[in-house]
Amino acid sequence: MFRAKAGGKIQWASRPSETTMTKYVFVTGGVVSSIGKGIATACLGTLLKARGLKISIQKIDPYLNVDAGTMNPHQHGEVFVTEDGAETDLDLGHYERFVDQDLGPLSNMTTGAVYRSVIERERRGDYLGNTVQVIPHITDEIKDRIRANALENDADVAIIEIGGTIGDIESLPFTEAIRQMKMDEGFDNVMYVHVTLIPFVGPKNEMKTKPTQHSVRELRNIGITPDILICRTKMPLSNEMKNKIAMFCDIAPDSIIEGLDAEHIYQLPTTFERQGFASRVLKRLQLPDNPPQLSGWEKVEKTLSAPQHRLKVALCGKYMEHAAQPDTYISVVESVEHGALANEASAEIKWINAEDKEGIAQELADCDALIVPGGFGERGVEGKIEAIRHARENGLPFLGLCLGLQTAVIEYARNVAGLEGAHSTEFNPETPHPVIAMLKEQRTIDQKGGTMRLGAYPCSVMSNTLAEKMYGESLILERHRHRFEVNPRYHRTLEAAGLVISGTSPDKRLAEMIELKDHPFFIASQFHPEFKSRPTRAHPLFTGLIAAGLKRQTDRSQRNGHGVSEISELHRSIA
Ligand code: GLN
């Protein structure tokens, strides 16, 4: 089998498994997609890790794209970038946030990647003239990748989610491979969790178990009997229903876990714990069930149900992006939530349409903070610049992310440094002042992402800056996904005009963070801090933004004659 070494280099080794100590949990979905299979998978990881077990987590996407880098975020949601620069499915973002563990390059497997490896090997002649087939060559490649990810993480338990819905043509090689895993690794070392939906139908709004029965039958047709069923439902399942499902699906009634709708996904780890999900898994795998350490999640749950403060954070993006697909900015939205949780607050996001430049100042009037997130393409750029100007001039706390930094630099160049017509060459190649440009060396940086700077890069944080105050560290690692940079030719001019470059690449060539001195909170990063924020460990830039937003709210209300206690009262009444 092949083995992944630290640093992502893949080496070949002989099969069968050296990972017999690893137990495998496969999570499949039935009935319909989007019923929270990814979150259930992530929660299981959280609960096992909370018991001191080492886990690995992996997502299988049965589509033909080799990775998510080329996929349209409108159709598929955000592209999540891992530490080593893999462009992956947004579910991996959920995994990292819930499990609080960085994922490696083998954490996302697509049909495209699997076939590409097999076909490349066939072209090299590695199969010695044999006929290359789905079984065993594709299925072996899939199993090798599953084991390699477990091995790389030295996992006690490897959790693998199969994307799509059982019965899909394209997931068949994967379901066949995971069926075989039970023979390879042994009955006690492999188990299957199936997530289904219990719909409400008919004039009497009855809960129906039939789709679940069909879905389990479909699974059993391909040789897999689920050990645990998670039934997504709006209402609690009666014992009678559990017994019925148990009988038809050949599953013990206490292995049927109710996946009740939660108000917030971060309530789910503790909810699943109370349902005994992890304990059932451990029992089936014959592993000890130590008491879990869930104090961080209990605190999250408590804050979610009774936040001390509330605030409104403006997110200024292209209208179509958030209207058609809220998942486009999912990591940013989640990070705002984390920053709020760290401040015992609840944040409401106000989506601001960057294409309505004229209406922006008014839209921002009732907001406590502004975020301009990353993006590609010219649409909405002038509106983003306008929003940033408003934040800069009015002391509105501002956080710019990637394109958010670039637009902040353009705004400063034009309106403060007097560089008329300053722009990014991404949007105007003819600009007289290309303050944002693609650097020559950038073009050769990384084959994988073409010309993109992808994954974690070190950044030196300048002393006595807001950035240093936020991070409390002088060298940080943050994840990138962009082509353009602040043009080094303009660093000095911009600094002379008052812009502080508070984070740079260690060789000082690239500006990684900028900020302003005479402003309560104005900071932007060329990287994407949202990829590293976690609910139980919020990213400092988001914690800082929310704290600044809350402070502004308090200051404003005091100016308007309300005392602090009245404001809390006000918050409660809004709640
Ligand atoms: N379009 C910009 C670039 O490529 C910003 C990218 C981003 O925000 N992720 O540099």
Side-chain angles (χ1 to χ4, degrees):
M1 71 173 184
F2 76 74
R3 301 210 273 156
K5 288 273 172 237
K9 286 216 180 70
I10 289 168
Q11 281 187 0
W12 287 90
S14 58
R15 299 175 66 240
S17 177
E18 284 168 45
T19 60
T20 40
M21 293 312 290
T22 302
K23 310 263 182 176
Y24 294 89
V25 182
F26 294 102
V27 183
T28 55
V31 183
V32 286
S33 61
S34 308
I35 49 172
K37 183 159 44 90
I39 305 282
T41 306
C43 285
L44 180 60
T46 311
L47 298 178
L48 297 182
K49 201 179 162 195
R51 286 165 165 82
L53 287 163
K54 277 188 271 171
I55 66 136
S56 66
I57 191 158
Q58 192 173 29
K59 170 92 193 276
I60 291 176
D61 284 308
Y63 47 66
L64 280 164
N65 306 59
V66 172
D67 62 38
T70 54
M71 294 175 81
N72 182 347
H74 298 264
Q75 254 181 41
H76 210 75
E78 160 193 283
V79 173
F80 185 78
V81 179
T82 59
E83 203 72 356
D84 25 35
E87 297 177 286
T88 67
D89 189 89
L90 62 83
D91 264 329
L92 268 77
H94 284 312
Y95 294 173
E96 283 204 351
R97 287 189 282 271
F98 276 87
V99 184
D100 193 7
Q101 179 170 312
D102 286 346
L103 300 177
L106 298 168
S107 308
N108 200 187
M109 178 190 336
T110 68
T111 300
V114 169
Y115 272 79
R116 186 165 78 168
S117 293
V118 171
I119 290 168
E120 274 171 8
R121 233 173 294 136
E122 186 274 332
R123 293 289 83 189
R124 277 204 311 269
D126 290 4
Y127 295 108
L128 307 173
N130 283 323
T131 310
V132 182
Q133 294 180 297
V134 173
I135 304 172
H137 302 102
I138 294 294
T139 47
D140 277 355
E141 173 71 21
I142 294 167
K143 291 190 290 181
D144 285 352
R145 283 172 182 252
I146 290 170
R147 293 191 185 104
N149 191 50
L151 193 66
E152 184 175 60
N153 291 282
D154 192 19
D156 299 315
V157 182
I159 307 168
I160 301 99
E161 177 191 349
I162 324 294
T165 307
I166 283 304
D168 293 348
I169 288 177
E170 52 210 345
S171 60
L172 281 175
F174 295 105
T175 44
E176 169 59 16
I178 68 169
R179 184 195 67 77
Q180 293 174 13
M181 287 285 286
K182 193 187 248 172
M183 320 301 141
D184 297 354
E185 304 290 329
F187 182 84
D188 294 336
N189 300 326
V190 173
M191 67 173 292
Y192 306 96
V193 174
H194 191 52
V195 185
T196 73
L197 177 76
I198 307 286
F200 275 70
V201 286
K204 284 196 239 138
N205 233 350
E206 272 178 290
M207 289 161 86
K208 292 290 184 189
T209 64
K210 190 64 62 84
T212 295
Q213 296 173 36
H214 279 298
S215 164
V216 171
R217 186 176 308 154
E218 189 82 32
L219 249 184
R220 293 175 73 184
N221 274 342
I222 48 183
I224 294 172
T225 300
D227 300 282
I228 290 181
L229 270 188
I230 297 181
C231 298
R232 282 298 308 277
T233 163
K234 281 203 193 87
M235 299 275 282
L237 296 174
S238 63
N239 278 342
E240 192 193 337
M241 283 191 92
K242 278 193 180 173
N243 289 336
K244 188 171 165 194
I245 298 170
M247 188 185 67
F248 278 107
C249 298
D250 205 13
I251 291 174
D254 65 353
S255 293
I256 296 169
I257 311 272
E258 204 173 73
L260 267 180
D261 287 358
E263 240 171 76
H264 198 289
I265 55 169
Y266 293 151
Q267 292 164 335
L268 288 170
T270 40
T271 309
F272 273 127
E273 178 58 27
R274 286 192 284 273
Q275 299 247 346
F277 181 21
S279 296
R280 284 303 309 171
V281 167
L282 291 166
K283 189 168 170 201
R284 167 66 182 78
L285 294 175
Q286 300 182 358
L287 286 171
D289 186 1
N290 300 320
Q293 293 298 326
L294 286 168
S295 52
W297 285 101
E298 281 155 7
K299 187 159 178 276
V300 165
E301 194 181 26
K302 198 168 144 237
T303 308
L304 284 172
S305 57
Q308 298 297 306
H309 319 280
R310 283 171 194 275
L311 82 168
K312 205 181 264 185
V313 177
L315 197 62
C316 185
K318 284 185 259 186
Y319 174 70
M320 276 311 290
E321 283 177 357
H322 55 76
Q325 175 56 278
D327 281 352
T328 312
Y329 298 119
I330 187 152
S331 289
V332 178
V333 171
E334 297 295 313
S335 300
V336 169
E337 186 86 55
H338 308 160
L341 285 168
N343 284 285
E344 304 207 311
S346 155
E348 179 197 334
I349 302 255
K350 179 171 180 182
W351 299 95
I352 304 231
N353 177 11
E355 285 166 85
D356 175 21
K357 191 179 159 196
E358 276 63 47
I360 279 176
Q362 199 181 345
E363 288 286 321
L364 287 174
D366 65 341
C367 294
D368 305 300
L370 165 69
I371 293 179
V372 175
F376 294 82
E378 195 187 356
R379 218 153 42 83
V381 161
E382 290 302 326
K384 290 176 185 181
I385 292 171
E386 179 59 18
I388 294 168
R389 187 182 65 77
H390 180 90
R392 180 176 58 76
E393 291 176 349
N394 294 282
L396 179 67
F398 163 72
L399 175 61
L401 310 171
C402 204
L403 182 64
L405 172 138
Q406 299 176 355
T407 40
V409 168
I410 297 167
E411 192 278 320
Y412 204 80
R414 286 183 191 173
N415 300 330
V416 183
L419 302 171
E420 209 177 311
H423 220 322
S424 163
T425 52
E426 179 180 5
F427 312 124
N428 178 9
E430 308 302 324
T431 170
H433 294 294
V435 288
I436 307 294
M438 202 191 306
L439 308 185
K440 265 205 200 89
E441 66 260 36
Q442 193 97 343
R443 291 178 200 153
T444 52
I445 275 184
D446 190 350
Q447 287 302 312
K448 190 167 43 166
T451 52
M452 283 248 219
R453 184 142 77 105
L454 274 173
Y457 283 82
C459 164
S460 313
V461 182
M462 204 166 102
S463 340
N464 301 320
T465 56
L466 178 62
E468 192 198 33
K469 195 170 150 207
M470 292 295 106
Y471 279 94
E473 278 173 79
S474 56
L475 191 70
I476 54 171
L477 262 186
E478 290 279 10
R479 299 183 195 171
H480 292 248
R481 182 171 188 257
H482 58 101
R483 290 195 174 83
F484 293 81
E485 305 280 351
V486 181
N487 189 340
R489 270 174 40 214
Y490 284 91
H491 285 188
R492 228 181 282 150
T493 315
L494 291 165
E495 284 176 314
L499 189 78
V500 179
I501 299 180
S502 51
T504 63
S505 53
D507 66 2
K508 308 252 177 293
R509 286 237 336 121
L510 303 172
E512 306 286 42
M513 275 193 276
I514 58 134
E515 62 186 69
L516 292 182
K517 272 205 188 81
D518 300 321
H519 191 285
F521 191 98
F522 189 105
I523 193 163
S525 64
Q526 187 54 81
F527 46 78
H528 291 273
E530 70 270 24
F531 291 145
K532 290 185 78 158
S533 187
R534 312 275 160 91
T536 50
R537 207 157 49 86
H539 191 286
L541 292 181
F542 286 90
T543 308
L545 179 78
I546 301 294
L550 289 171
K551 177 156 189 320
R552 174 180 163 90
Q553 198 183 60
T554 316
D555 293 350
R556 268 170 135 192
S557 306
Q558 268 166 352
R559 270 202 307 278
N560 294 340
H562 298 286
V564 178
S565 58
E566 286 169 69
I567 298 163
S568 304
E569 210 35 63
L570 209 69
H571 290 145
R572 270 191 279 281
S573 66
I574 304 169

